[in-house]
Structure formats: structure tokens, C-alpha cells
Amino acid sequence: MTIIRQTSLFGIQELYDMEPTQKYEAIISAINLDKIYYKITKKSRKGAPEELNYAAMIISTFVRYVERIPTIKDLIKRLHDDIAFKLNCGFLVSDSVPSEASYSRLITKLEQCNILEEERDNVVLQAIAEGFIVDDTVAIDATHFEARDQAPPKEEKPKPKPKKRGRKSKEQREQWLKEQAEMEAKLPLYDRKMEVQLDVPLTELRSKVPQHPAWGVKKNSEGKNVFWFGYKGHLAVGSSSQYILQALFSSGNLNDGKAAIPLLKGMDERLALLSLRFQTMDAGYDYEPIYEQVHRMGQQSIIAYNKRNEGEAIGFDKHFAPTCFREHSYRYDSYDPKYKTLKYTRPKECSECPLANEGICQKVYKVKITTDLRRYTAPARGSKAWKNIFKRRTAVERVNAYLKEFFQLNNVRYPTGKRAKIHFDMVTLIYNASKLAADRMNAMLNQQQVA
């Protein structure tokens, strides 16, 4: 019997097991250090001269995440004690090791620009150009991580005045609606209704995300509430390539669904991924504006349905497929992209049904998905194809686990939201750079095997 040996793939773990010199060079070469260096260095000859080796400081900051060094203090100690490590980070033997204050000023300069986020997108574009990202499905989800500081003491809010009971008159209701509209218009962007985001430009959506540490809550696998004080990282991940295509940093109390539209717009405007067809999310993203944004992008939403005080749909099953007189569900057959129509055929029970030949049962049902984007998707809810695509959502959960366990996402060392965002951007950038380095190594090995 012939034995077929499967070729092993070169992954991130194999990359991290390499010698430090090769490992650092492979990961750092995926990042355009010149752009970052240009952003943080002086643009004029005036003023005090810069004696620090900023290029090596940037590399050592990246290497800190690669080597899982917990603090800047530990990084400085390693640079003092290990001359080989110092040289691998780009420092010269004659260079003095920067102080903690010097690294703090470097973080401040990175905080004042948006270069890390831009460079993360550039790594993704480079991976697309080299053919490593050909996904047709994107998985979106959020992960939480705690802040460095302790939560402030809870302030006791004054008890609200009891509302007047009874029905409002027509004049009072009109006045109340007018007041509510004025209050809504004055609210911050992310405190307003989600549908407002559909017509807001991407730059404004990203610039107004709340970034201060705050209390967040979510239900765990046992259905119990879990509380934390800190932040959220919202990720859009390629289901097969597992690159972070878009990322968003926010306060811990931001609703997951309110981060979806900025992520979707970012993929649509910043990435040239023509192969994308599906956006898959869990029930926390089951909001009509999200379906509308995906539809505007010409893609399909594979989102778990979250039933909210809705009565039973008469003539339809739990997946909104039409039913016959005996309440058997019609079977999903196909989707017509030209007319945006789902086609359902007779239930399998029709073969034994006495009403099959009475002429009262419809043989084929056709439903346009635009009648209700939330209920009707292509492929149809409940179908085998829909379930297979929804399973791909686990890709984003794996990436969330990688970021926390291997890239120090949980290890926030900065007290403010703006600096914590630098930590988040650094983690996601290093992850993408590691993925690109591993894919390049894998492609090189495959070429050598072919040759």
C-alpha cells in the first residue's frame, strides 16, 4: 500500500523556535521601519541633537513582544546583561542602553501619530499582494483585557424623580419626541443609535471611538455575567489565512455591535480583497444596520439570529423557511444573485403526503433577501451551507487566544487609554508580521521541495 506523506506547514511556532537572529530578521523585515522611524525623528536640525539610536529602540520594542518580555524595565536589564541580544536589536557596542524615560518618550511619539495602525494595514496589503490572503469569509468578534489601573470607586447616582403615570396627550407626546431627538443629536457618536454610523465617514468613526478604561460585562459559557475593568479589542480575521484584516481598540463598555460597521467599512475602503463573500459573526452582532452595511458591500451576512421578544412567524419555521399546510419546512435549493432571490423547493415529506396531488401545495417558493436582510441570507438560514460557513467564525476566537497567550495582549503596562491603544496596535502588528514571516518561510520551503 502506498503511503502518502503530508507536507508539514511552517507555522508561527516553528518561526519562534528559530535562532534569535533569523527570527528577528524574518519578523522585522515584514514591517517598514523607515516609515516609523521617519514619524518619530526630528524633521529639523534646530534644537538639541538626538543621541539615541531610535531605529534600534523601535526594533527592541518589537522584540520585547516577540520574546514575551513583560516590562520595559526587564527589556533594559536584558539589553545590559546580554550583548548578543543588544546587537540583535540593532544597537552598536558603543551605544548606551536607553533609559525607561527614553522608551516612555518613544511611546509618546508613537501615541501622537497613527503609524502603527497604518503599518498593520500595510502588512495585510503586502500579504494580499504576495498571494497569502485569498479568503472568502471574514470572522468578526471582540475580546476583552483588563486595564493597568484599578477601577475608580463607584459614584452613587441620585435617584430619578418618579415619572408621571398615565398616557401622554398628543401635544405632550410630540414635545417629548422632539426633546428625545434633540438629546439624541447631542450624544457622542457611539452613544447614538447604530444606524447613524452607516452614513458617517470611516475616519470619523475611528477617531471618535471611546478609549478610556471602563467597566465591561459579558456572559460566560455558563450564562453568568463576567465583569472586568479595562478595554476591548475588536478584530476582523480572515477565516483561512487568520490574518487580522482590521482591528479596533475601544473602552470595555462599548457594545460589540457598534464596532462592526467601522471594521466592515475599513475592509471595504482600505483593502482590495475581491474574493470576500461572507461576513460571519455571533448573535451579539444581530442588528439591522450591520446587515445593511454588509449588503452595501455586496457581500452576505452569516450572523446567528438573536430572537428579541418576537412572536412566532406564521407560515414559516424557526429559520424563516416557508412551511406547507402540514407545517413541513421547504428545503433551500439555491440563490440567484441577479435577482437576489432565495429558492425553496417542496419538503421531502411531500412524497408520502396525501395532499401532494391536490394542487393546494406550492412546489417552489422564491423570496428576495431585500424583503428582510436580517431574516434572509444567502445561503439560507438553517441550510447545511449556512452552518458550514458559520463554523469558520472560530478563526477569530483562535486569534484572540493567540494574542492573549503568546503576544501579551493581557499584559497592559500603561495607565491611560491612548497608551493602552499603542500596546494593542503593537500586539496586532507583531502578530500580522509573524504570520507574514511564517508564510514567506513556508512558500520558500515549498519552492525548494518542488525544485
Side-chain angles (χ1 to χ4, degrees):
M1 187 174 95
T2 306
I3 298 175
I4 300 175
R5 184 176 180 182
Q6 185 178 3
T7 57
S8 61
L9 296 177
F10 189 92
I12 291 181
Q13 188 58 51
E14 285 79 9
L15 175 70
Y16 274 55
D17 291 338
M18 292 170 59
E19 292 295 324
T21 305
Q22 296 175 306
K23 176 171 58 177
Y24 301 161
E25 184 179 354
I27 296 173
I28 301 302
S29 63
I31 303 171
N32 191 337
L33 291 177
D34 292 338
K35 285 187 178 180
I36 302 176
Y37 180 75
Y38 176 78
K39 284 284 185 180
I40 65 171
T41 52
K42 287 174 58 178
K43 306 299 184 294
S44 173
R45 295 181 179 178
K46 297 180 180 179
E50 292 182 342
E51 299 177 355
L52 296 172
N53 188 342
Y54 272 108
M57 286 180 67
I58 297 168
I59 294 174
S60 63
T61 306
F62 290 151
V63 170
R64 177 196 154 207
Y65 291 92
V66 174
E67 292 292 339
R68 301 165 195 168
I69 300 174
T71 64
I72 294 294
K73 186 176 182 180
D74 293 327
L75 173 63
I76 294 172
K77 186 176 185 301
R78 178 82 179 269
L79 289 170
H80 274 296
D81 297 342
D82 191 343
I83 186 64
F85 177 76
K86 180 180 177 181
L87 295 175
N88 286 334
C89 289
F91 289 100
L92 301 176
V93 177
S94 58
D95 288 336
S96 58
V97 176
S99 63
E100 289 187 60
S102 300
Y103 277 103
S104 179
R105 287 191 292 270
L106 172 64
I107 299 299
T108 302
K109 292 181 178 181
L110 291 173
E111 178 189 326
Q112 293 170 352
C113 61
N114 205 28
I115 187 61
L116 294 179
E117 186 177 321
E118 293 174 9
E119 197 51 40
R120 182 181 62 223
D121 289 344
N122 289 336
V123 172
V124 174
L125 291 173
Q126 186 63 32
I128 294 172
E130 295 181 23
F132 298 130
I133 301 179
V134 290
D135 302 84
D136 66 344
T137 306
V138 172
I140 295 178
D141 202 0
T143 185
H144 69 274
F145 49 102
E146 295 185 359
R148 171 78 170 161
D149 289 356
Q150 292 183 350
K154 187 178 180 181
E155 296 181 2
E156 292 187 3
K157 296 181 180 179
K159 292 183 178 180
K161 295 180 180 180
K163 296 181 180 179
K164 185 179 178 181
R165 293 186 178 184
R167 199 172 188 178
K168 293 182 175 68
S169 65
K170 186 176 180 181
E171 293 78 11
Q172 288 177 333
R173 179 168 177 77
E174 290 177 355
Q175 179 64 25
W176 178 79
L177 290 173
K178 185 178 179 181
E179 291 174 358
Q180 291 297 313
E182 291 176 355
M183 289 173 59
E184 175 79 13
K186 293 179 182 178
L187 289 173
L189 177 59
Y190 283 88
D191 289 340
R192 297 163 70 183
K193 294 180 179 179
M194 197 181 299
E195 52 264 27
V196 176
Q197 297 182 5
L198 291 170
D199 299 319
V200 177
L202 176 61
T203 52
E204 185 178 350
L205 282 174
R206 297 196 74 99
S207 63
K208 292 189 176 181
V209 178
Q211 296 178 353
H212 58 276
W215 279 104
V217 59
K218 68 178 295 184
K219 288 189 181 295
N220 60 12
S221 58
E222 299 175 354
K224 297 180 180 179
N225 287 335
V226 177
F227 298 90
W228 78 94
F229 181 75
Y231 312 100
K232 276 185 180 180
H234 308 268
L235 304 180
V237 174
S239 62
S240 58
S241 66
Q242 295 191 20
Y243 279 86
I244 299 174
L245 304 180
Q246 286 289 290
L248 193 70
F249 172 85
S250 76
S251 301
N253 60 355
L254 183 70
N255 182 288
D256 290 356
K258 291 189 175 180
I261 293 178
L263 293 174
L264 292 168
K265 286 190 174 184
M267 283 185 284
D268 191 39
E269 297 181 19
R270 295 181 176 181
L271 305 179
L273 265 175
L274 301 177
S275 59
L276 286 185
R277 294 178 58 200
F278 306 105
Q279 301 287 341
T280 179
M281 311 168 210
D282 61 23
Y285 295 86
D286 182 32
Y287 296 97
E288 290 183 5
I290 297 177
Y291 290 93
E292 176 62 29
Q293 177 60 39
V294 175
H295 181 67
R296 291 183 183 184
M297 294 163 59
Q299 299 170 19
Q300 299 296 332
S301 304
I302 308 297
I303 304 175
Y305 196 81
N306 188 7
K307 195 172 182 180
R308 304 186 187 96
N309 298 324
E310 302 172 18
E312 185 178 351
I314 300 174
F316 299 89
D317 66 5
K318 63 179 181 179
H319 299 301
F320 309 107
T323 56
C324 67
F325 280 97
R326 302 187 70 179
E327 297 187 357
H328 297 304
S329 299
Y330 277 68
R331 294 175 293 176
Y332 169 69
D333 181 83
S334 60
Y335 172 68
D336 187 348
K338 181 179 179 181
Y339 298 102
K340 299 180 180 179
T341 303
L342 299 174
K343 179 183 176 182
Y344 293 89
T345 56
R346 273 186 171 183
K348 60 182 180 180
E349 291 82 2
C350 281
S351 59
E352 301 176 357
C353 180
L355 302 177
N357 299 320
E358 297 294 329
I360 59 175
C361 290
Q362 192 168 328
K363 292 183 178 180
V364 175
Y365 265 99
K366 291 187 178 181
V367 182
K368 279 198 170 187
I369 63 171
T370 50
T371 57
D372 193 333
L373 291 172
R374 185 166 168 244
R375 292 187 173 187
Y376 299 109
T377 62
R381 289 185 181 276
S383 63
K384 188 176 181 180
W386 189 96
K387 292 176 182 177
N388 288 336
I389 296 171
F390 185 73
K391 288 178 183 177
R392 302 174 191 171
R393 196 189 63 82
T394 56
V396 68
E397 295 176 351
R398 286 194 293 274
V399 173
N400 284 335
Y402 292 155
L403 297 184
K404 287 184 175 181
E405 293 181 18
F406 302 111
F407 292 88
Q408 302 192 70
L409 181 60
N410 276 332
N411 184 30
V412 178
R413 311 301 301 182
Y414 306 110
T416 62
K418 289 185 177 180
R419 292 207 161 200
K421 182 181 182 298
I422 295 298
H423 171 78
F424 175 76
D425 289 342
M426 195 82 72
V427 167
T428 50
L429 172 59
I430 293 298
Y431 171 83
N432 273 353
S434 300
K435 280 289 298 177
L436 180 56
D439 284 344
R440 284 173 172 172
M441 293 281 188
N442 199 26
M444 190 181 301
L445 289 175
N446 289 336
Q447 288 179 358
Q448 291 175 358
Q449 289 179 359
V450 172

